[in-house]
Structure formats: structure tokens, C-alpha cells
Amino acid sequence: MDLLPPDVRATLARFPIGSQESLGDQAKVVVKFFDPAGRYTFYVTEGRPEGKDYLLFGYCISPLGEDCDEWGYTSLTEILSVGISRGLGIERDLYFPAAIWTVAESRARAA
């Protein structure tokens, strides 16, 4: 699966790193990545190309538990390198509406 197809990259171009910094949980989520076999979810709110890679910023639902959920940076390469569990790797939510829901709304819908 292409985690950052051209349409997602085009939407991310409208939300460069730092563009939603002051919004906190009201930042718009551009793309949602998740582990279909676990708790890990990454709500990407900002991003930019870095050479052949992509730097992403957003809110991470940690596989280690609620007390480890946090805002942070990762790269597309790092997401792609996550070990496959039960034959499944990290996926992009194909039905997640780009830049419509906030982080707070996305988390509430997942609860």
C-alpha cells in the first residue's frame, strides 16, 4: 500500500511543519496511519518532503498504552520499517476524510 499517494502529498503541502502548531487538539488531521493488529495510530497533522523521505508530525496513539500517547515527529521511512505483526504492516485509513476532522474529533470517534 502506498502510504503517501499523490493526493495525500498534495494535501500535506497545504499543512507544512509548524502550520498548525498553536492549535493543539484542534489541528486538522491530514492522514491516519494505523496498525490493524494493535493499538498504534498516528494522526498526521503536518508534513514536508526531506530528500527522498517525508517528515511527519502529529498525534501518536502508542501501542504501549494511554500514558505513552503523545505529539511527535516521525518519518515515512520509520513508519515503513515498523515490524510486521501477524502478517500485517502499518496501513493508511482509506476512508479517513483528509483535513476535515480535528485530532480531538478523530480520537473521540475512535473511542
Side-chain angles (χ1 to χ4, degrees), residues 78-108:
E78 187 174 17
I79 289 173
L80 291 170
S81 73
V82 172
I84 295 175
S85 60
R86 300 181 193 149
L88 303 169
I90 300 300
E91 295 186 15
R92 175 175 45 90
D93 187 337
L94 299 175
Y95 303 102
F96 192 86
I100 301 295
W101 295 340
T102 65
V103 171
E105 290 168 331
S106 301
R107 291 175 54 205

Side-chain angles (χ1 to χ4, degrees), residues 16-92:
I17 298 293
S19 64
Q20 299 194 76
E21 187 174 325
S22 63
L23 299 177
D25 279 354
Q26 297 308 306
K28 298 290 185 186
V29 178
V30 176
V31 63
K32 173 187 170 187
F33 298 126
F34 68 98
D35 177 356
R39 186 177 186 272
Y40 174 82
T41 303
F42 189 56
Y43 296 108
V44 178
T45 59
E46 302 169 352
R48 73 166 180 245
E50 286 204 337
K52 294 182 180 180
D53 204 355
Y54 230 90
L55 179 64
L56 304 167
F57 180 79
Y59 191 78
C60 177
I61 305 295
S62 173
L64 302 176
E66 222 174 285
D67 57 332
C68 295
D69 295 352
E70 64 183 351
W71 288 93
Y73 293 90
T74 190
S75 68
L76 182 58
T77 300
E78 187 174 17
I79 289 173
L80 291 170
S81 73
V82 172
I84 295 175
S85 60
R86 300 181 193 149
L88 303 169
I90 300 300
E91 295 186 15
R92 175 175 45 90

